[in-house]
Short mmCIF file of all heavy atoms in Angstrom, two decimals:
data_model
loop_
_atom_site.label_atom_id
_atom_site.label_comp_id
_atom_site.label_asym_id
_atom_site.label_seq_id
_atom_site.Cartn_x
_atom_site.Cartn_y
_atom_site.Cartn_z
N GLY B 312 -8.13 -18.54 -8.39
CA GLY B 312 -8.78 -18.17 -9.64
C GLY B 312 -8.28 -16.89 -10.25
O GLY B 312 -8.91 -16.33 -11.17
N LEU B 313 -7.12 -16.41 -9.83
CA LEU B 313 -6.58 -15.16 -10.39
C LEU B 313 -6.03 -15.32 -11.78
O LEU B 313 -5.70 -14.34 -12.44
CB LEU B 313 -5.50 -14.60 -9.46
CG LEU B 313 -5.91 -14.26 -8.03
CD1 LEU B 313 -4.73 -13.69 -7.25
CD2 LEU B 313 -7.08 -13.27 -8.03
N HIS B 314 -5.91 -16.56 -12.27
CA HIS B 314 -5.41 -16.79 -13.64
C HIS B 314 -6.52 -16.64 -14.68
O HIS B 314 -6.27 -16.85 -15.87
CB HIS B 314 -4.81 -18.18 -13.73
CG HIS B 314 -5.80 -19.31 -13.54
ND1 HIS B 314 -6.56 -19.42 -12.40
CD2 HIS B 314 -6.14 -20.34 -14.33
CE1 HIS B 314 -7.33 -20.48 -12.49
NE2 HIS B 314 -7.10 -21.05 -13.67
N GLN B 315 -7.73 -16.30 -14.24
CA GLN B 315 -8.86 -16.08 -15.14
C GLN B 315 -9.53 -14.75 -14.80
O GLN B 315 -9.87 -14.53 -13.63
CB GLN B 315 -9.88 -17.22 -15.04
CG GLN B 315 -9.35 -18.57 -15.49
CD GLN B 315 -9.28 -18.68 -17.01
OE1 GLN B 315 -10.11 -18.16 -17.72
NE2 GLN B 315 -8.28 -19.42 -17.49
N ASP B 316 -9.71 -13.90 -15.79
CA ASP B 316 -10.47 -12.68 -15.55
C ASP B 316 -11.93 -13.03 -15.29
O ASP B 316 -12.48 -13.92 -15.94
CB ASP B 316 -10.40 -11.76 -16.77
CG ASP B 316 -9.20 -10.82 -16.72
OD1 ASP B 316 -8.60 -10.70 -15.63
OD2 ASP B 316 -8.86 -10.22 -17.74
N PRO B 317 -12.58 -12.34 -14.35
CA PRO B 317 -14.00 -12.58 -14.17
C PRO B 317 -14.82 -12.15 -15.38
O PRO B 317 -14.35 -11.34 -16.19
CB PRO B 317 -14.36 -11.74 -12.92
CG PRO B 317 -13.30 -10.67 -12.91
CD PRO B 317 -12.07 -11.30 -13.46
N ALA B 318 -16.00 -12.70 -15.53
CA ALA B 318 -16.87 -12.32 -16.63
C ALA B 318 -17.17 -10.83 -16.55
O ALA B 318 -17.25 -10.26 -15.44
CB ALA B 318 -18.16 -13.13 -16.59
N PRO B 319 -17.36 -10.16 -17.70
CA PRO B 319 -17.59 -8.70 -17.68
C PRO B 319 -18.76 -8.29 -16.79
O PRO B 319 -18.69 -7.26 -16.11
CB PRO B 319 -17.84 -8.38 -19.14
CG PRO B 319 -17.11 -9.44 -19.91
CD PRO B 319 -17.24 -10.68 -19.07
N HIS B 320 -19.84 -9.09 -16.78
CA HIS B 320 -20.99 -8.69 -15.97
C HIS B 320 -20.74 -8.87 -14.48
O HIS B 320 -21.52 -8.40 -13.65
CB HIS B 320 -22.23 -9.48 -16.39
CG HIS B 320 -22.05 -10.96 -16.22
ND1 HIS B 320 -21.55 -11.78 -17.22
CD2 HIS B 320 -22.34 -11.80 -15.18
CE1 HIS B 320 -21.53 -13.04 -16.81
NE2 HIS B 320 -21.99 -13.08 -15.57
N ASP B 321 -19.63 -9.61 -14.13
CA ASP B 321 -19.31 -9.79 -12.71
C ASP B 321 -18.35 -8.74 -12.19
O ASP B 321 -18.06 -8.69 -10.99
CB ASP B 321 -18.69 -11.17 -12.49
CG ASP B 321 -19.68 -12.29 -12.70
OD1 ASP B 321 -20.89 -12.04 -12.54
OD2 ASP B 321 -19.26 -13.42 -13.05
N VAL B 322 -17.82 -7.89 -13.07
CA VAL B 322 -16.87 -6.86 -12.65
C VAL B 322 -17.65 -5.66 -12.14
O VAL B 322 -18.30 -4.94 -12.91
CB VAL B 322 -15.96 -6.44 -13.83
CG1 VAL B 322 -15.02 -5.33 -13.39
CG2 VAL B 322 -15.18 -7.65 -14.34
N LYS B 323 -17.64 -5.46 -10.84
CA LYS B 323 -18.32 -4.35 -10.22
C LYS B 323 -17.36 -3.22 -9.81
O LYS B 323 -17.76 -2.09 -9.66
CB LYS B 323 -19.10 -4.82 -8.99
CG LYS B 323 -20.15 -5.86 -9.33
CD LYS B 323 -20.87 -6.32 -8.07
CE LYS B 323 -21.93 -7.38 -8.40
NZ LYS B 323 -22.62 -7.87 -7.17
N ASP B 324 -16.10 -3.57 -9.64
CA ASP B 324 -15.10 -2.59 -9.23
C ASP B 324 -13.88 -2.72 -10.13
O ASP B 324 -13.15 -3.73 -10.07
CB ASP B 324 -14.70 -2.85 -7.76
CG ASP B 324 -13.77 -1.77 -7.22
OD1 ASP B 324 -13.34 -0.89 -8.00
OD2 ASP B 324 -13.43 -1.83 -6.02
N LYS B 325 -13.70 -1.76 -11.03
CA LYS B 325 -12.58 -1.83 -11.98
C LYS B 325 -11.24 -1.76 -11.28
O LYS B 325 -10.26 -2.36 -11.73
CB LYS B 325 -12.71 -0.70 -13.00
CG LYS B 325 -13.90 -0.87 -13.94
CD LYS B 325 -13.88 0.22 -15.02
CE LYS B 325 -15.05 0.02 -16.00
NZ LYS B 325 -15.05 1.06 -17.07
N SER B 326 -11.16 -1.04 -10.16
CA SER B 326 -9.90 -0.98 -9.45
C SER B 326 -9.51 -2.35 -8.88
O SER B 326 -8.34 -2.72 -8.85
CB SER B 326 -9.98 0.05 -8.32
OG SER B 326 -10.96 -0.31 -7.37
N ASP B 327 -10.52 -3.11 -8.45
CA ASP B 327 -10.24 -4.45 -7.95
C ASP B 327 -9.76 -5.35 -9.10
O ASP B 327 -8.87 -6.20 -8.89
CB ASP B 327 -11.51 -5.03 -7.32
CG ASP B 327 -11.27 -6.43 -6.74
OD1 ASP B 327 -10.57 -6.52 -5.72
OD2 ASP B 327 -11.75 -7.41 -7.36
N LEU B 328 -10.32 -5.18 -10.29
CA LEU B 328 -9.86 -5.95 -11.44
C LEU B 328 -8.41 -5.61 -11.76
O LEU B 328 -7.62 -6.52 -12.11
CB LEU B 328 -10.75 -5.66 -12.64
CG LEU B 328 -10.37 -6.34 -13.96
CD1 LEU B 328 -10.44 -7.89 -13.81
CD2 LEU B 328 -11.28 -5.90 -15.09
N GLU B 329 -8.04 -4.35 -11.64
CA GLU B 329 -6.66 -3.97 -11.88
C GLU B 329 -5.72 -4.62 -10.88
O GLU B 329 -4.63 -5.08 -11.25
CB GLU B 329 -6.54 -2.43 -11.80
CG GLU B 329 -7.12 -1.70 -12.97
CD GLU B 329 -6.38 -2.02 -14.27
OE1 GLU B 329 -5.17 -1.72 -14.37
OE2 GLU B 329 -7.00 -2.62 -15.16
N ILE B 330 -6.13 -4.68 -9.60
CA ILE B 330 -5.28 -5.31 -8.58
C ILE B 330 -5.12 -6.80 -8.90
O ILE B 330 -4.01 -7.33 -8.82
CB ILE B 330 -5.91 -5.11 -7.20
CG1 ILE B 330 -5.88 -3.62 -6.82
CG2 ILE B 330 -5.17 -5.94 -6.15
CD1 ILE B 330 -6.59 -3.32 -5.52
N ARG B 331 -6.21 -7.46 -9.28
CA ARG B 331 -6.12 -8.88 -9.66
C ARG B 331 -5.12 -9.08 -10.77
O ARG B 331 -4.28 -10.00 -10.74
CB ARG B 331 -7.49 -9.39 -10.10
CG ARG B 331 -8.53 -9.62 -9.00
CD ARG B 331 -9.85 -10.01 -9.66
NE ARG B 331 -9.71 -11.17 -10.52
CZ ARG B 331 -10.08 -12.40 -10.21
NH1 ARG B 331 -10.62 -12.63 -9.02
NH2 ARG B 331 -9.94 -13.40 -11.05
N ARG B 332 -5.22 -8.24 -11.80
CA ARG B 332 -4.36 -8.43 -12.97
C ARG B 332 -2.89 -8.16 -12.62
O ARG B 332 -2.01 -8.87 -13.13
CB ARG B 332 -4.81 -7.49 -14.08
CG ARG B 332 -6.14 -7.93 -14.74
CD ARG B 332 -6.62 -6.94 -15.79
NE ARG B 332 -7.74 -7.51 -16.55
CZ ARG B 332 -8.39 -6.84 -17.50
NH1 ARG B 332 -8.05 -5.59 -17.79
NH2 ARG B 332 -9.37 -7.41 -18.17
#
Side-chain angles (χ1 to χ4, degrees):
L313 299 181
H314 65 303
Q315 296 283 325
D316 271 346
H320 60 271
D321 292 334
V322 178
K323 300 179 181 179
D324 185 355
K325 291 186 178 180
S326 62
D327 182 71
L328 178 62
E329 286 296 297
I330 294 174
R331 285 175 56 102
R332 288 176 170 178

